[in-house]
Amino acid sequence: MSTPVPTRASGLLPVADTPAVRRAFLRLLATEKRRAATAVGLHLVAAVAAAVAPILLGDMLDRLAAGTPIDTLALGLVASIIAVVVFTWAGTFVSHRLGERLSARMRVEFVERALRLPMPVVEQAGSGDLMTRSSADVPEAGVLFRDGLPQVTVSLLKVVVFLAAMLWASPLLGLCMLVIVPPLYIGTRWYLKRARRGYLAEREAESVIGDTIGASADGARTTEAYRLGAQRDAAGDATVDRHWRAARYTLFLRSVFFPFLDGSYAMPTAAVLIVGGAFYFEGAISLGTVASCAVLTRQILFPIDHLLMWVEKVQRGFAAMSRIEGVAEAEDAEADATAERPADGTVDLHGVRYAYPSSPRDVLHGVTLSVPAGQRLAVVGPSGAGKSTLARLISGSDVPREGRAAIGGVDVAALPLDERRRRVTLVTQEHHVFTASLRDNLVLAKADASDEALREALAAVGADWAFDLPEGLDTPLGGKHRELDAASAQQIALARIILADPDVVILDEATAMLDPRAARDTERALGAVLEGRTVIAIAHRLHTAHDADRIAVVEDGRVAELGDHDELIALGGHYAALWRAWHGDEHALEGIDGPGEQDEFAAAAKNM
Ligand code: ATP
């Protein structure tokens, strides 16, 4: 049977190679050196005690045959059994604690790295990939630390100690154990050569299923409206089929490997009994020694079996770790940060061209724009003109294909992520209330903010409702708790800006979800709060533009007009037409070129 291994889907987050995974594993282990050494020490004593028992048993057999007393040996046997129980318990306790701590550390590292991932990287990979890594790979790798590491260590120790005991009791019978080496080597090598790729492919197929199902669920209404059900079904079937092929391949590997191993276990026991029996009848070895070695052989096979059983889980765990470490590589790839720091909040765009990765067409065509620190620029224009794209470039979420987007003289995308987040905040109309207390929702922006600072921020954005909450800042929000309306959720997002205290704030239709009155109230409150910062406001309502220091009209990826309200009205161009249309002048759009453009501007004005 030769099932092809499905290839890696392009665009997903990176997967770390074996040396990188090994380094990550050892780095984590090094954080718990003392605990690891204690666990190994305890298991070693338990293994030695377990090896002593069969040797004593053999001696007792020989003494019984010779008719000599066995009291001391019997006492020794009891003591060794008690030692096995006590040290195994203590070793298991310490090693499981160790495993839990390592697993917890790995989870924390993963979450921190995932949160640091730049938005475009996640967007390109698809959220399904990141979700699968956090929901399936992290638990899988957790098993590696929690159970795999202790089990494998204990089994390895037992194999070494029992083998040493066998060689000590009878070097000849000890060597009989070697008959298991060739089948073990061949079988394990065959399996390991294929398993990593197989399990990685299985995991990737799960990521793709996650993405496809997520996309179908998100676009359920569109699917229904355009009768795309069959197409989405086909896409789902294809991903399930890919997963099925990947899972069948790993099943094939297991169904060959494990039966093969089971068959080879009989070999060393048979060898010890045959060789031991022959030498016993020759009088070259005692019955007790043969019995000791036969028991030790069984004892060795048990941890070997355990080890091989864990080979599969360890493979799965390491495959999962490759994907977890891959997230670090995606992050590192972005970590080529500059040491320069912005001088102030001046925003400069110079000859910026940009195309989304999914399309070769430029959506910005050489935009040049400068906003001095502390100024407020409103950006208006028809839908699809490129306003949000401009916002993403100024926030550093995306990098221009050509040209430069800088804050305070430094390329914004080259700033380290923490610095960038401190300097510039992008607020969109998407807002999310986390299922947590009001305080937790706010301190995301500033972990050490005092309650006083939180209340001031809420007051500044006019979130008066927050002061009537029954449990104040501790009131649980989101999920099955208190559901906030869009306006209140947006106010929380705006309060976070105040707490984050950035030099540059980009409001991308930030008040679009609010009704006109609430939006005006919030914008008025924000006016004071944004004082002194550079503000780029993608203006949804024309009064926002009117209040700005300057207005940029963006059309088809270009800045078509730039000036303050009065200048642009006097210019009599698109902005003036928009303004008049907004005020209900039915002849307002007469100056705009072409019926298509008129429609766009009419729609833009209607939306304002
Ligand atoms: P709106 O006012 O409707 O939000 P906008 O002026 O903000 O529009 P952008 O969202 O910047 O316009 O879009 C500019 C162009 O880029 C549009 O043609 C849009 O279809 C395209 N575009 C936007 N986002 C993406 C994306 N993720 N992938 C590919 N193309 C995109």
Side-chain angles (χ1 to χ4, degrees):
M1 181 174 166
S2 65
T3 311
V5 179
T7 51
R8 184 171 175 250
S10 59
L12 296 180
L13 292 166
V15 173
D17 60 12
T18 309
V21 173
R22 201 178 301 136
R23 278 196 302 277
F25 185 80
L26 294 175
R27 176 177 47 77
L28 268 173
L29 203 58
T31 60
E32 295 285 343
K33 263 190 245 157
R34 277 183 52 182
R35 224 176 272 267
T38 311
V40 169
L42 289 168
H43 283 300
L44 190 64
V45 176
V48 170
V52 166
I55 302 225
L56 290 177
L57 213 63
D59 281 355
M60 283 164 74
L61 210 62
D62 286 341
R63 286 200 188 189
L64 280 174
T68 45
I70 56 163
D71 306 359
T72 335
L73 291 179
L75 271 176
L77 187 65
V78 172
S80 73
I81 290 170
I82 292 173
V84 170
V85 172
V86 172
F87 283 97
T88 302
W89 176 84
T92 307
F93 180 79
V94 175
S95 50
H96 277 109
R97 270 180 76 94
L98 167 74
E100 287 292 352
R101 291 175 73 92
L102 293 176
S103 164
R105 186 155 295 157
M106 179 204 62
R107 281 165 193 269
V108 170
E109 273 186 11
F110 176 81
V111 172
E112 284 173 355
R113 284 165 172 175
L115 290 177
R116 281 201 298 265
L117 279 182
M119 215 45 183
V121 173
V122 179
E123 280 174 359
Q124 205 177 340
S127 52
D129 190 25
L130 194 57
M131 286 292 286
T132 311
R133 290 184 195 222
S134 61
S135 61
D137 292 321
V138 170
E140 188 89 60
V143 171
L144 179 69
F145 287 110
R146 228 181 10 253
D147 302 321
L149 182 64
Q151 299 276 2
V152 169
T153 311
V154 172
S155 300
L156 274 175
L157 282 174
K158 281 183 178 169
V159 170
V160 171
V161 170
F162 294 163
L163 193 61
M166 244 178 118
L167 288 168
W168 179 79
S170 162
L172 180 73
L173 295 188
L175 288 176
C176 288
M177 271 313 292
L178 292 181
V179 295
I180 201 171
V181 173
L184 275 192
Y185 177 77
I186 294 167
T188 313
R189 205 179 131 83
W190 178 86
Y191 179 76
L192 290 184
K193 247 174 102 175
R194 292 157 179 82
R196 182 181 138 87
R197 233 160 30 106
Y199 287 117
L200 276 177
E202 197 177 330
R203 279 275 173 263
E204 275 176 18
E206 277 169 25
S207 294
V208 178
I209 288 186
D211 265 343
T212 311
I213 292 176
S216 296
D218 287 347
R221 282 179 199 283
T222 315
T223 304
E224 231 172 71
Y226 292 97
R227 299 181 194 288
L228 296 173
Q231 212 179 74
R232 295 309 306 165
D233 278 352
D237 286 351
T239 57
V240 170
D241 180 62
R242 179 182 157 164
H243 182 255
W244 177 78
R245 280 186 292 122
R248 196 182 63 168
Y249 180 73
T250 55
L251 182 65
F252 156 71
L253 295 181
R254 291 193 296 273
S255 62
V256 170
F257 182 50
F258 289 109
F260 176 76
L261 290 180
D262 283 344
S264 51
Y265 288 154
M267 293 166 65
T269 315
V272 166
L273 289 177
I274 292 168
V275 176
F279 278 80
Y280 170 70
F281 287 118
E282 291 288 319
I285 199 166
S286 76
L287 187 62
T289 305
V290 178
S292 294
C293 289
V295 174
L296 279 167
T297 308
R298 296 308 303 167
Q299 276 187 324
I300 294 179
L301 289 177
F302 189 67
I304 286 180
D305 189 41
H306 225 75
L307 272 176
L308 294 172
M309 205 181 74
W310 272 100
V311 163
E312 190 231 343
K313 289 188 187 161
V314 166
Q315 276 298 312
R316 292 177 84 113
F318 274 112
M321 266 199 85
S322 309
R323 288 163 52 80
I324 292 169
E325 278 304 300
V327 173
E329 287 182 7
E331 184 202 358
D332 291 347
E334 299 289 319
D336 231 350
T338 172
E340 281 183 85
R341 292 294 172 262
D344 56 18
T346 307
V347 172
D348 280 306
L349 298 176
H350 188 77
V352 166
R353 289 177 192 280
Y354 181 78
Y356 281 95
S358 56
S359 150
R361 196 178 62 88
D362 273 355
V363 295
L364 292 179
H365 309 279
V367 173
T368 297
L369 196 62
S370 184
V371 189
Q375 248 201 25
R376 186 184 291 204
L377 176 82
V379 183
V380 300
S383 178
K387 305 184 296 291
S388 298
T389 309
L390 215 53
R392 287 170 65 98
L393 295 179
I394 298 172
S395 71
S397 304
D398 278 320
V399 189
R401 180 180 70 72
E402 214 182 287
R404 184 169 189 234
I407 287 184
V410 181
D411 278 4
V412 62
L415 286 171
L417 204 62
D418 286 348
E419 180 70 11
R420 202 194 311 159
R421 284 182 179 161
R422 213 174 62 71
R423 296 289 188 155
V424 51
T425 302
L426 170 66
V427 186
T428 67
Q429 52 183 290
E430 288 168 31
H431 46 267
H432 184 73
V433 177
F434 292 92
T435 307
S437 68
L438 174 58
R439 178 186 286 100
D440 289 342
N441 266 283
L442 291 170
V443 295
L444 285 173
K446 190 170 188 235
D448 57 353
S450 67
D451 284 4
E452 198 45 42
L454 302 185
R455 287 197 195 94
E456 276 174 22
L458 288 167
V461 297
D464 300 333
W465 52 269
F467 298 98
D468 300 329
L469 292 174
E471 296 165 65
L473 290 168
D474 292 317
T475 309
L477 302 179
K480 62 180 168 30
H481 306 293
R482 184 174 294 264
E483 202 64 64
L484 292 186
D485 58 27
S488 309
Q490 188 59 287
Q491 283 169 330
I492 291 186
L494 296 179
R496 281 202 284 257
I497 306 181
I498 297 164
L499 293 163
D501 192 23
D503 296 332
V504 180
V505 177
I506 305 162
L507 303 169
D508 187 359
E509 320 232 21
T511 53
M513 289 289 195
L514 310 186
D515 63 59
R517 216 193 118 157
R520 243 198 135 89
D521 287 349
T522 305
E523 278 163 10
R524 202 172 299 126
L526 263 179
V529 176
L530 297 177
E531 195 65 45
R533 303 185 211 282
T534 313
V535 179
I536 314 282
I538 311 286
H540 185 76
R541 296 180 169 88
L542 272 196
H543 66 80
T544 315
H546 176 269
D547 297 343
D549 297 317
R550 279 192 310 158
I551 301 154
V553 180
V554 177
E555 273 180 62
D556 192 23
R558 293 178 176 85
V559 177
E561 293 170 15
L562 185 65
D564 66 24
H565 175 78
D566 293 337
E567 286 167 359
L568 294 190
I569 293 290
L571 189 71
H574 290 173
Y575 177 78
L578 269 175
W579 181 258
R580 290 202 306 275
W582 193 54
H583 279 280
D585 179 352
E586 57 194 40
H587 303 296
L589 300 174
E590 279 169 4
I592 307 286
D593 308 332
E597 276 207 54
Q598 283 189 8
D599 289 348
E600 280 178 23
F601 270 83
K606 221 159 68 194
N607 282 334
M608 291 186 172

